[in-house]
Amino acid sequence: MVKKLSTLPRSFLSVRRLLRRSLSGRHCRRTTSATARTPAAPPQDKLHARTVMVDVEGWLLKSPLSTFPYFMLIAVEAGSFLRGLLLLLMYPFLLCLSLHSGDLYLKAMVMVSCFGLREKEVIRISKAVLPKFFLEEVTVEGLEAFKKAGTVIAVTMAFPRVMVEGFLKEYLGVHTVVGREITMVAGRYLGFLEEEETSMERVGAMLEEMDEMKSKGDGAVGLVAMGSRMHHVFSHYCKVVETYALCEAEKTAWQPLPRDKYPKRLVFHDGRLAFKPTFFAAVAMYTFLPCGIFLAVFRSAAFGLLPYRISVPLSAVTGMRSRLIAGPFSSPEDDTNNNNNKKKKKQAAGRLYVCNHRTLLDPITVAAGLNKPVTAVTYSVSPVSELIAPIRTARLTRDRNEDRRRMEELLSRGDLVVCPEGTTCREPYLLRFSPLFAELTGEVNPVALETRVDMFYGTSTKPGAKWMDPFYFMMNSRPEYRVEFLERVVTAPAEEGHQEGGHGHSIQVANRVQRVLAEALQFKPTQLTRKDKYMVLAGNEGVVG
C-alpha cells in the first residue's frame, strides 16, 4: 500500500504533463483546423513565395496508399523477376510483421527489394519507371495547394528518399526531399534502412532553421494528414510552422490528377511491367509467366518459319490480335504524273512505307499487312534480333550521305519500311521525324501503328536487354497491333541548284507526314528526339558504340 501511494505523485505528474502537451497541440491546431476544414486546403495566395513542407503520403498521394507495388517495381525492374518472386512469397509474412511494427515491416521490404542493387540502377528506376505510377496517385487538390509556393520541401517516411526523389523533383517541381536513407557500400545498397528518428531529426533541424529565418519572411507552412507522424512533429514546432491538417474524410473526396494536368507531361517512361503490381496482380503475373514464355516461343516460331497467311491466323488462335485497315494506294498513272517536274527523279522499283515506331515488330506487321516481303532499316538493333527477324534488315550508319545512298539502293530493289522517329515511344506522342526519307522518292505511304499490351511492355532502354523486346511483347496474353495504311503523301523534288532549300523542303514534308500520322492515331506531335528520350530514361544520348 505504501508503494502504491508513493507512485501516485509520479503517475499524476505524468498524466498532467501529457494533458498539457495535448492541450498545447490542440491550441496549435485550433487556428489551423478551421482553415483546413473550409476549405480543406489553404488558399494559394497565402502560400505565394513561402516555404511549404508537405507530407508526401499524408497530403499529396491518394489514401489508402500501399507501398508494396513500388517495392515490387524496384525488385523486378532494378533487380530481376526472381527477386520479385522472393518479395511476393515473403509478403504475407511481412504483413504479419506490420501488425507488430510498421517500421520493422518497412525495413524488411527495403532489405528484400534493395539488397545488393547498384545505386545508379535504383536511381534510374526512380526517374524512369516509378514516376508513371506515382503520378496516378497524385490528387488535384493536393498538388494545387503548393503550386505557387516559393520553396517546397517534401517529407516522406513510407519510402526511402531514393525511391521518390526523382518523381518529386522532375515532375512536381519539389526543391528538397527529406526521407530515410539506405546504407550503401562501394556503390551498392546493403539494404539497411536508417532509423525513423534520424529523419525526424533532420526535419526538426530544418524547422529550427526556419524559426531563425522567420523574422525575414512569413514563416513556413506545413501540409500534413491529421494524426500522422509528421503532424505531431509539425505540432511541436507550431510557432514556426502554420500547419494545415487534412482529415481522412476530406482526402477521400479529392480527385486523382488527370493526365493533361500533369505539371510536366509524361512522354517517356521505362520498365517491363505495364500494370501496377499490387499483391494479387503480381500473383496473377507469376502464375501466367510459364504460359507466357511458351506463347512467346510459339508465336515467334510461327512468324519466323511460316508464311504470313498461316502465321497470322495461328497467332490469333493464341490470343494475339491484329487489326488491318487498308487505305487508298496510288496508281501507276498517278506515279507518272507526280514525277513530271523540271528535275525528274528516277522512279523507284519499290514503295516507301513510313510508320511511327511502337516496337521492333513494326516492320514485320507492315509486311504481314501487305502480305509480301519488305526491307527494314535499323540503327542499333541487336544481332540476335537481326538473326531471328523474318524479314530483311539493313543497318544505317547515322552518316547522312551514306545512309541516303544505302536507302536509295534498297528502295530500287523493293519495298522499304522506315521509322523516322528513330526510337520507340509508348505514350500517345510522336517524336520528331528525321527528314531523310522525304528525299528518296516522289511519294511516301504513311502507316499508322498502335499497340496494346496487358502485362509486359515490348520496349526497353536497359543495356543488354533490347534483344528481348519482341519476346516480351509476345509474352502478353492478348497483345494487339493495329495497322492502318493511310493515303500517300507526295514529296516534290528539290529545285536544281538549291540543295539547302531542298533539305528545308524535306523537313516540311517530314513534319507533314508526322501530322498525318498524329491525326490518324489521335496522338500529339512533339519536337522531342531520340536523344531526349535516352537522356531522360538512361542518362546518355543512346549512341551505341
Side-chain angles (χ1 to χ4, degrees), residues 416-529:
L416 185 65
V417 178
V418 298
C419 300
E421 289 178 285
T423 187
T424 56
C425 184
R426 299 174 178 176
E427 296 300 313
Y429 296 94
L430 290 182
L431 307 185
R432 190 176 69 192
F433 279 21
S434 172
L436 182 58
F437 72 90
E439 304 174 10
L440 301 177
T441 183
E443 67 176 25
V444 298
N445 297 271
V447 184
L449 302 176
E450 176 62 312
T451 59
R452 288 184 176 85
V453 296
D454 50 24
M455 197 167 294
F456 304 107
Y457 284 117
T459 58
S460 175
T461 62
K462 188 175 182 179
K466 289 189 66 64
W467 70 275
M468 289 289 292
D469 287 356
F471 292 101
Y472 273 103
F473 181 83
M474 298 286 191
M475 281 172 60
N476 288 281
S477 60
R478 295 177 66 84
E480 180 180 348
Y481 244 107
R482 179 182 178 274
V483 185
E484 181 178 1
F485 291 91
L486 305 176
E487 186 176 0
R488 61 178 174 77
V489 175
V490 177
T491 62
E495 298 179 1
E496 293 184 14
H498 296 279
Q499 295 298 326
E500 293 184 359
H503 179 60
H505 178 75
S506 65
I507 294 177
Q508 296 177 3
V509 172
N511 293 338
R512 194 196 325 161
V513 174
Q514 185 196 41
R515 289 193 298 269
V516 168
L517 289 173
E519 291 174 0
L521 294 166
Q522 295 185 348
F523 286 4
K524 293 183 179 180
T526 72
Q527 290 298 313
L528 299 173
T529 64

Side-chain angles (χ1 to χ4, degrees), residues 337-356:
N337 294 333
N338 289 323
N339 287 329
N340 288 331
N341 298 287
K342 291 182 180 180
K343 180 183 177 181
K344 294 184 179 180
K345 278 195 172 183
K346 181 181 179 181
Q347 180 63 33
R351 294 183 180 275
L352 179 62
Y353 295 93
V354 180
C355 58
N356 59 304

Side-chain angles (χ1 to χ4, degrees), residues 125-381:
I125 297 302
S126 71
K127 293 181 178 180
V129 179
L130 296 184
K132 175 182 183 297
F133 299 95
F134 275 126
L135 283 170
E136 295 172 356
E137 296 291 336
V138 175
T139 59
V140 177
E141 294 82 356
L143 182 62
E144 288 290 334
F146 62 87
K147 208 170 184 181
K148 294 184 179 180
T151 301
V152 180
I153 302 174
V155 182
T156 175
M157 292 297 156
F159 298 98
R161 178 192 56 81
V162 67
M163 287 181 60
V164 298
E165 187 171 37
F167 149 69
L168 293 171
K169 287 187 175 182
E170 294 291 334
Y171 288 89
L172 300 188
V174 171
H175 299 85
T176 305
V177 180
V178 182
R180 303 172 71 174
E181 303 291 341
I182 308 175
T183 306
M184 183 176 57
V185 174
R188 289 184 180 271
Y189 288 114
L190 295 182
F192 296 106
L193 188 66
E194 72 175 2
E195 297 298 329
E196 183 177 336
E197 290 75 12
T198 307
S199 297
M200 291 295 187
E201 290 175 0
R202 285 199 293 271
V203 176
M206 286 186 174
L207 293 173
E208 290 176 355
E209 291 179 3
M210 293 175 186
D211 191 17
E212 297 175 357
M213 299 175 62
K214 187 175 181 180
S215 58
K216 301 179 181 179
D218 298 326
V221 178
L223 306 177
V224 297
M226 184 74 74
S228 66
R229 288 169 289 185
M230 295 309 304
H231 187 200
H232 297 306
V233 175
F234 287 3
S235 298
H236 182 70
Y237 293 91
C238 59
K239 294 182 180 180
V240 183
V241 181
E242 182 181 351
T243 304
Y244 288 84
L246 178 68
C247 69
E248 191 66 26
E250 291 171 331
K251 189 176 180 181
T252 53
W254 285 7
Q255 299 299 316
L257 186 67
R259 176 181 290 270
D260 58 352
K261 299 292 185 181
Y262 287 174
K264 178 182 177 181
R265 60 182 179 179
L266 182 68
V267 180
F268 304 122
H269 63 87
D270 207 0
R272 289 298 187 187
L273 301 187
F275 63 99
K276 187 177 180 179
T278 60
F279 175 74
F280 292 106
V283 170
M285 179 192 70
Y286 278 100
T287 304
F288 172 78
L289 198 56
C291 180
I293 295 174
F294 171 77
L295 286 176
V297 174
F298 180 81
R299 291 164 176 169
S300 300
F303 275 99
L305 301 176
L306 301 176
Y308 293 127
R309 65 177 181 273
I310 299 176
S311 61
V312 173
L314 193 61
S315 298
V317 174
T318 67
M320 185 173 181
R321 296 174 292 180
S322 300
R323 183 182 179 188
L324 175 64
I325 303 176
F329 294 95
S330 60
S331 62
E333 291 79 9
D334 293 334
D335 293 337
T336 304
N337 294 333
N338 289 323
N339 287 329
N340 288 331
N341 298 287
K342 291 182 180 180
K343 180 183 177 181
K344 294 184 179 180
K345 278 195 172 183
K346 181 181 179 181
Q347 180 63 33
R351 294 183 180 275
L352 179 62
Y353 295 93
V354 180
C355 58
N356 59 304
H357 204 1
R358 303 304 280 179
T359 74
L360 292 179
L361 299 175
D362 292 343
I364 300 175
T365 58
V366 173
L370 296 171
N371 195 23
K372 63 179 181 179
V374 299
T375 302
V377 291
T378 64
Y379 281 113
S380 58
V381 176

